[in-house]
Amino acid sequence: MDIHRCRFVPYPPSTINALAFSHSHIAEDQKTAPPRLAVGRANGDIEIWNPLNGSWLQETIIRGGLDRSIDGLVWTQDPNEEIHGSTIIGKSRLFSIGYTTTVTEWDLAKGRPLRQASGTHGEIWCLAAQPPLSLREQSSGATAGQWPGQHLIAGCTDGALVLYSTKDEDLQLQKVLVRPSSKKAKIISVTFQDRNIVVAGCSDSTIRIYDIRNGSMVRQMTLGIGPAGGPKEIIVWSVKVLKNGNIVSGDSTGEVRIWDGKTYTFMQRIKGHRQDVLSLATSFDGTTIISGGMDRRTVVYKQIGKGKPRWAEVSHRRYHNHDVKTMASLEGRGMSVVVSGGPDAAPTVLPLNQFGFENQRALPFLPQENIVNSASKKRLMLSWWEREASIWRLSKQTKPLSGNEENEEEPAARNRKLVARVLIKGEANITSASLSDDGSLLAVATSSDIKVFQLRTRRSEEGDGLKISKITCPTSFSYGARLVKFSPDSKWLCVVRPDSQFSLARITSSGTSSASSNASIHPYVSKLARLDRRIEKFILLGGLGSYDRTVTQIAFSPDSRILAVSDLAGYIDTFVLAGDEDLTRTDSAADEDDAASSSSSSDSGSDSESEEESNPRLVYGQHWTRNPAASSIPKLPSTPVVLSFRPATSSKPVLKALTNGANASPHATRNNPHPVSNSVPAVEDRLFVVTATSDIYEFEILKGGLSPWSRRNPTKVFPEDFRINKDQARGCIWDISASGSRERIWVWGVGWLWMFDLSRDLPPPAVEQVNGVNGTEGSKAPSRKRKRKGGKEVTAGAGSAIPDRELTMGISRTMSKYVHEEVEEDQPLVKDPYSSSAMDLDDDENQASALELSRRENSQNGQVVEQEEDDRPHHWHTYKYRPILGVVLIGEEGEARPEVAVVERPIWEADLPPRYYGDQEWEKRGVDEL
């Protein structure tokens, strides 16, 4: 494979301003929605992450806009309800602030603001959620008449403290508890000590305690005067409350202070930082405090001593390259982690209860969605961010680079040229963009609009750039889109709306050459409906609602006759293009208003949908219909992160069209002069799928089951290095010759690139291999650690476990008890995070999933497929390229090996704000400033 190593795409990483988990602690018997992590960035984006037992999947991104910033995030959980014996889990609601006077609630399913509230007060600097009423408090009767949910408290720059109500699924300003003060002390941080007491950290060296029931100030705690040579006033950047009620504060002097929660008096101070303490996190049991500062340090404190133990620093380390601006913690469901972030844009996951016994993990700052694609025939590459889309033309390399050669990237001047740049008007950022395979069309979508452009090559005397002209779009495109994608033949544009309803628009061109042709969009837009998965209403009404039905992946077959879409829940829906294309055929009249007002697709099977299937609307003699075998494709165990159809080869047997007894081409009759063909096309239908837990499947879409290769090669036979990899797959590149002599797929993630040979079966896992080559004698010794499904090591949610010989905490995990010089038993010194029933992930041999049953059905008629020995590797991988923003195909496909562009975006090449340097940090500041 020939590789262009590209680092010229200036994708700008954005500062992490806020982090918030939907739950800070989940009890074993607590009925609640699955936890999620919200990441707020300075460009207005909100990322939703699924911890996924340590796999950490970035599910969606709610795009921001011009002059928007997310500076605070808070989740609330509405109370559970019991209706007819069923428990409706309270809704998980997400709120944000952006240094304005407005609080915004977000619709996660649509990725848009749901409601907003504001008042006559200053800009909101901090936000906190009221603790919910516990079951014990509700049953005691002492809180009768109180709403058991969570209200919001906001601290403002003018000193005001404001209470916002979230009752009855609404958001309203309830009352201003504290009016702006004449001293103009800003409220910088805020938290709740209990449901009625608020702790506010201010900019005038004080921490104030308020009672929200009457708005009175209970106590004022003073931090004193700042250090000599600095400001007199101390800023309290962060406040937290321990389980026993004691208060922890971090301030601009670099000190962490502990305050008595009953008497509100000073107890202890710890100088753990050389600069401001910007963020704090605490464990649920109150035994651990973690602080992050401007000096890039992350410091861990624990209590030592007996009787009246005192807090002491037990560890400090620089996990970040810049300020540690914000932190959030999660405990429960087998996880115990703290996530931190700042201007270096990469969230870092630290173990909490297992600190010192597990490694940290840095999550990628690049988006999960591939923001780089290409028009391989024209050697064009598209990249987009914020409100800008850029197109480069990559020239052929003078000296090819192979994947295993340690060569530097080719000089930039000879390798690429910027040929087009599109700036989208308006305030909304781009949500998705697509470039057609022939390089003639560009589609750009925001949350409120879709724009389609035609690209033409300029004449030689006009330069190397592309001519860009706008194409008129149907009115239905004015709703915006979550995803857009062109079919390989550039005749169809698939649009996924923000509410995950999707449709296809037919694109036609007039003219004999690409330079003179004019593209247009057919006024009728084909709207498709996904299968009714029969999800219970009490599930859709509570928790995250229909958020997990959000469509995240689109894939067309190579001949554009099959469409596959997948959602966060793991469902795959497929559709086929029926009928024969006839450009001379006059279809029934359909204006734009009719197309816009046609019935919208939904998950419920309605009479209108069945009528539309029986009498489809034709576009040039063709129509999209649901795949007859779509319901046979089972739900996947986790979210699909890669969908791709295998390219067709001459060696693949041609499938017979499934016509249900009808002729492939129906004849015209007197009563039906224009018959509609409902036959399923005979095309390559094998769909390659990679999930968020590194499971790999290949489905035969038209048959509704796994392919023979996938039945013979379950995930457990894949290399262990691939299965234990924690970084998510981002995309794939096919390396298949037209004759079928070479069938390979290259799957890539943010820091790795794997090749699998699909022309033969993988070797048994008992044989140890080095990059897929057999021959190493012996087999790997079985690991004593518990494994989760797929072979991944079970941890508390951060990195892998630290070997005993590398522990730096000064103690081991176990203590051996000796009796007469013999070991009687080993007693654990560290709480086992894997003993909880929530982490019991061993497979149940008595139960079989739909996928396992599909593997067992008619796999080669029960016969073992014998294969000849071959010296070619079954698989190969490299970690040379990182961090990878995208991998795209460049150049014509054929018998020769493919030519690809690997786009990297190292964080050290990005423009970051200035950072703090310590006195003994041996760094060349002068070089950095040049």
Side-chain angles (χ1 to χ4, degrees):
M1 187 167 67
D2 295 336
I3 295 177
H4 292 261
R5 193 170 186 179
C6 307
R7 290 186 176 178
F8 55 81
V9 178
Y11 177 80
S14 183
T15 298
I16 297 177
N17 286 339
L19 293 167
F21 277 104
S22 57
H23 308 76
S24 59
H25 177 263
I26 304 177
E28 292 186 4
D29 57 347
Q30 183 177 353
K31 296 181 179 180
T32 184
R36 292 295 189 274
L37 169 67
V39 179
R41 296 189 180 269
N43 62 354
D45 289 353
I46 299 178
E47 302 171 2
I48 306 298
W49 289 75
N50 185 351
L52 210 62
N53 294 324
S55 293
W56 292 100
L57 170 65
Q58 185 191 86
E59 293 181 329
T60 59
I61 300 179
I62 302 175
R63 298 291 180 179
L66 180 64
D67 297 331
R68 299 179 193 173
S69 177
I70 301 298
D71 299 294
L73 289 170
V74 165
W75 292 82
T76 64
Q77 309 295 321
D78 284 350
N80 295 349
E81 298 182 14
E82 296 288 338
I83 299 179
H84 304 298
S86 299
T87 301
I88 298 180
I89 297 176
K91 285 187 176 182
S92 297
R93 303 168 63 183
L94 177 63
F95 302 86
S96 72
I97 57 173
Y99 290 155
T100 64
T101 60
T102 303
V103 179
T104 303
E105 181 179 358
W106 294 91
D107 188 336
L108 298 182
K110 296 182 180 180
R112 291 176 171 176
L114 181 62
R115 55 180 65 94
Q116 294 179 332
S118 62
T120 55
H121 49 73
E123 291 82 4
I124 299 175
W125 189 288
C126 53
L127 190 68
Q130 182 184 30
L133 275 178
S134 63
L135 295 177
R136 180 181 300 178
E137 292 173 336
Q138 296 182 41
S139 59
S140 65
T143 58
Q146 291 189 23
W147 183 60
Q150 301 174 266
H151 293 308
L152 302 176
I153 195 75
C156 305
T157 57
D158 59 356
L161 197 63
V162 187
L163 184 66
Y164 282 88
S165 172
T166 63
K167 189 176 180 181
D168 299 329
E169 297 186 9
D170 200 359
L171 177 63
Q172 294 182 353
L173 173 64
Q174 184 168 340
K175 60 180 177 179
V176 178
L177 299 175
V178 179
R179 295 290 177 180
S181 62
S182 58
K183 297 181 180 180
K184 296 183 179 180
K186 300 178 182 179
I187 296 182
I188 304 299
S189 55
V190 66
T191 189
F192 277 87
Q193 189 178 23
D194 55 36
R195 277 186 61 87
N196 300 316
I197 303 300
V198 173
V199 181
C202 304
S203 61
D204 60 349
S205 305
T206 60
I207 298 175
R208 294 177 171 87
I209 313 298
Y210 294 99
D211 190 330
I212 65 172
R213 289 170 293 190
N214 51 28
S216 62
M217 185 172 65
V218 178
R219 189 66 59 90
Q220 178 174 305
M221 302 180 292
T222 303
L223 280 71
I225 302 176
K232 294 183 179 180
E233 293 185 343
I234 299 174
I235 301 175
V236 182
W237 289 113
S238 182
V239 287
K240 293 290 181 181
V241 175
L242 300 177
K243 187 177 182 179
N244 60 3
N246 289 347
I247 300 170
V248 184
S249 66
D251 54 54
S252 57
T253 64
E255 293 183 346
V256 172
R257 309 192 188 203
I258 316 297
W259 308 81
D260 189 290
K262 296 180 179 178
T263 61
Y264 300 110
T265 56
F266 174 75
M267 294 178 61
Q268 184 183 352
R269 74 177 66 187
I270 308 172
K271 180 69 173 179
H273 295 266
R274 298 178 181 178
Q275 287 291 314
D276 299 36
V277 177
L278 302 179
S279 56
L280 291 172
T282 61
S283 61
F284 174 75
D285 58 6
T287 60
T288 304
I289 300 173
I290 300 180
S291 64
M294 193 181 294
D295 57 355
R296 295 176 285 151
R297 281 188 174 190
T298 300
V299 185
V300 180
Y301 312 89
K302 289 183 179 291
Q303 287 182 312
I304 59 174
K306 297 182 179 179
K308 293 183 178 181
R310 292 181 61 83
W311 290 91
E313 175 185 333
V314 297
S315 175
H316 72 266
R317 187 173 174 182
R318 288 189 173 98
Y319 298 106
H320 291 269
N321 295 322
H322 219 289
D323 304 352
V324 186
K325 193 172 184 179
T326 178
M327 285 184 175
S329 62
L330 168 65
E331 295 180 80
R333 302 282 175 92
M335 299 191 67
S336 178
V337 295
V338 171
V339 180
S340 59
D344 59 1
T348 299
V349 185
L350 306 177
L352 186 53
N353 290 339
Q354 293 294 308
F355 184 85
F357 298 94
E358 289 184 4
N359 292 301
Q360 78 282 359
R361 180 187 174 190
L363 301 179
F365 68 91
L366 301 176
Q368 173 70 29
E369 180 186 355
N370 189 7
I371 64 171
V372 179
N373 56 49
S374 68
S376 58
K377 298 178 182 178
K378 294 294 184 67
R379 307 185 65 85
L380 298 177
M381 185 178 72
L382 165 71
S383 65
W384 54 270
W385 57 88
E386 295 184 354
R387 295 173 305 283
E388 175 182 338
S390 301
I391 300 177
W392 284 271
R393 178 178 286 115
L394 302 183
S395 60
K396 287 185 175 294
Q397 300 178 126
T398 57
K399 182 179 180 181
L401 300 177
S402 60
N404 52 7
E405 290 182 358
E406 296 294 335
N407 291 333
E408 298 295 333
E409 59 178 320
E410 190 168 317
R414 295 180 296 171
N415 190 41
R416 94 276 180 171
K417 186 176 182 62
L418 182 64
V419 294
R421 185 183 178 194
V422 178
L423 297 177
I424 302 301
K425 294 181 180 180
E427 296 183 354
N429 286 349
I430 298 174
T431 57
S432 181
S434 179
L435 185 65
S436 62
D437 280 6
D438 60 3
S440 63
L441 298 170
L442 170 65
V444 180
T446 66
S447 58
S448 58
D449 196 9
I450 302 174
K451 300 182 184 298
V452 182
F453 303 94
Q454 184 172 6
L455 308 177
R456 296 185 180 93
T457 304
R458 294 180 182 272
R459 292 178 293 182
S460 58
E461 61 270 16
E462 296 178 344
D464 297 332
L466 296 176
K467 291 182 178 179
I468 304 176
S469 58
K470 189 175 179 180
I471 300 176
T472 303
C473 297
T475 55
S476 58
F477 281 16
S478 60
Y479 295 101
R482 181 186 298 273
L483 293 171
V484 290
K485 187 177 182 64
F486 286 106
S487 62
D489 61 3
S490 305
K491 295 181 179 180
W492 296 93
L493 175 62
C494 182
V495 176
V496 179
R497 291 173 50 175
D499 57 0
S500 291
Q501 298 181 13
F502 59 99
S503 55
L504 289 109
R506 181 65 160 86
I507 300 175
T508 58
S509 59
S510 60
T512 57
S513 64
S514 59
S516 60
S517 64
N518 293 318
S520 61
I521 301 177
H522 195 279
Y524 176 71
V525 177
S526 302
K527 297 186 177 181
L528 304 180
R530 290 184 285 174
L531 280 172
D532 180 12
R533 301 298 179 175
R534 302 190 182 279
I535 302 175
E536 298 291 341
K537 286 188 176 181
F538 70 88
I539 296 178
L540 296 176
L541 293 176
L544 295 172
S546 59
Y547 166 73
D548 63 349
R549 297 306 315 279
T550 300
V551 174
T552 57
Q553 299 290 331
I554 307 174
F556 279 97
S557 62
D559 63 348
S560 306
R561 298 298 298 270
I562 303 178
L563 171 67
V565 297
S566 65
D567 57 26
L568 295 175
Y571 292 110
I572 298 178
D573 289 271
T574 55
F575 305 85
V576 296
L577 181 61
D580 299 323
E581 184 180 27
D582 184 5
L583 297 178
T584 62
R585 177 166 178 165
T586 303
D587 301 317
S588 55
D591 55 14
E592 294 186 9
D593 294 337
D594 185 23
S597 61
S598 60
S599 59
S600 60
S601 59
S602 62
D603 290 342
S604 61
S606 61
D607 296 337
S608 59
E609 291 172 1
S610 60
E611 182 180 354
E612 185 176 353
E613 292 179 2
S614 59
N615 298 310
R617 297 284 295 272
L618 301 182
V619 179
Y620 299 120
Q622 295 178 308
H623 68 98
W624 286 91
T625 183
R626 184 179 293 135
N627 175 24
S631 59
S632 300
I633 301 176
K635 178 184 178 182
L636 300 182
S638 59
T639 303
V641 292
V642 175
L643 284 186
S644 181
F645 281 92
R646 185 188 291 218
T649 60
S650 58
S651 61
K652 175 137 184 344
V654 179
L655 300 174
K656 293 183 179 180
L658 305 177
T659 58
N660 296 327
N663 295 328
S665 298
H667 298 285
T669 63
R670 179 181 301 177
N671 296 327
N672 188 10
H674 301 288
V676 178
S677 174
N678 293 314
S679 61
V680 176
V683 297
E684 172 62 75
D685 67 334
R686 287 178 289 181
L687 178 66
F688 187 83
V689 183
V690 184
T691 68
T693 53
S694 299
D695 295 317
I696 292 182
Y697 307 99
E698 188 181 53
F699 293 99
E700 291 183 331
I701 295 301
L702 299 182
K703 294 181 180 179
L706 293 171
S707 68
W709 180 88
S710 189
R711 291 193 181 100
R712 299 191 306 268
N713 296 272
T715 303
K716 62 183 179 182
V717 306
F718 279 75
E720 183 179 4
D721 289 343
F722 175 78
R723 290 183 284 117
I724 66 176
N725 193 353
K726 292 180 178 293
D727 288 335
Q728 301 292 342
R730 303 295 179 100
C732 66
I733 294 292
W734 290 96
D735 180 10
I736 294 183
S737 60
S739 61
S741 59
R742 185 178 67 252
E743 297 185 25
R744 298 174 180 173
I745 186 171
W746 295 79
V747 184
W748 59 273
V750 73
W752 51 265
L753 187 65
W754 275 85
M755 182 277 293
F756 297 104
D757 190 348
L758 304 186
S759 63
R760 51 201 179 129
D761 294 341
L762 295 169
V767 179
E768 185 176 2
Q769 297 189 339
V770 178
N771 261 339
V773 181
N774 296 329
T776 305
E777 295 182 0
S779 58
K780 293 183 179 180
S783 175
R784 298 180 62 184
K785 291 186 179 295
R786 291 189 59 189
K787 301 285 184 176
R788 115 168 55 148
K789 185 177 179 181
K792 290 189 177 182
E793 178 185 344
V794 177
T795 65
S800 58
I802 301 175
D804 289 344
R805 63 180 180 275
E806 299 178 9
L807 291 176
T808 59
M809 297 296 292
I811 59 175
S812 178
R813 290 184 173 87
T814 59
M815 177 181 65
S816 299
K817 181 179 180 180
Y818 286 83
V819 178
H820 300 295
E821 299 183 355
E822 294 184 359
V823 179
E824 183 180 78
E825 61 179 346
D826 287 338
Q827 300 177 353
L829 296 177
V830 182
K831 182 180 179 181
D832 185 8
Y834 322 125
S835 60
S836 173
S837 59
M839 294 299 292
D840 190 7
L841 300 172
D842 296 333
D843 296 333
D844 189 351
E845 297 181 357
N846 299 324
Q847 297 182 357
S849 66
L851 286 169
E852 292 171 342
L853 294 174
S854 180
R855 290 191 189 279
R856 300 172 186 174
E857 293 177 356
N858 301 325
S859 178
Q860 295 293 324
N861 297 323
Q863 299 178 0
V864 178
V865 178
E866 297 183 359
Q867 296 185 349
E868 299 180 358
E869 292 293 332
D870 196 340
D871 293 335
R872 295 178 302 169
H874 294 81
H875 54 82
W876 184 87
H877 68 278
T878 181
Y879 301 103
K880 173 183 176 181
Y881 310 101
R882 61 173 63 189
I884 299 177
L885 181 64
V887 179
V888 294
L889 190 65
I890 297 293
E892 295 284 349
E893 302 180 27
E895 292 294 333
R897 56 186 181 179
E899 184 179 357
V900 301
V902 178
V903 183
E904 298 171 286
R905 185 52 173 159
I907 187 62
W908 58 82
E909 294 184 1
D911 294 330
L912 298 178
R915 67 182 185 184
Y916 167 80
Y917 291 101
D919 296 335
Q920 297 181 358
E921 292 187 58
W922 304 104
E923 299 194 42
K924 298 179 180 179
R925 306 186 191 182
V927 175
D928 295 339
E929 295 173 357
L930 292 179

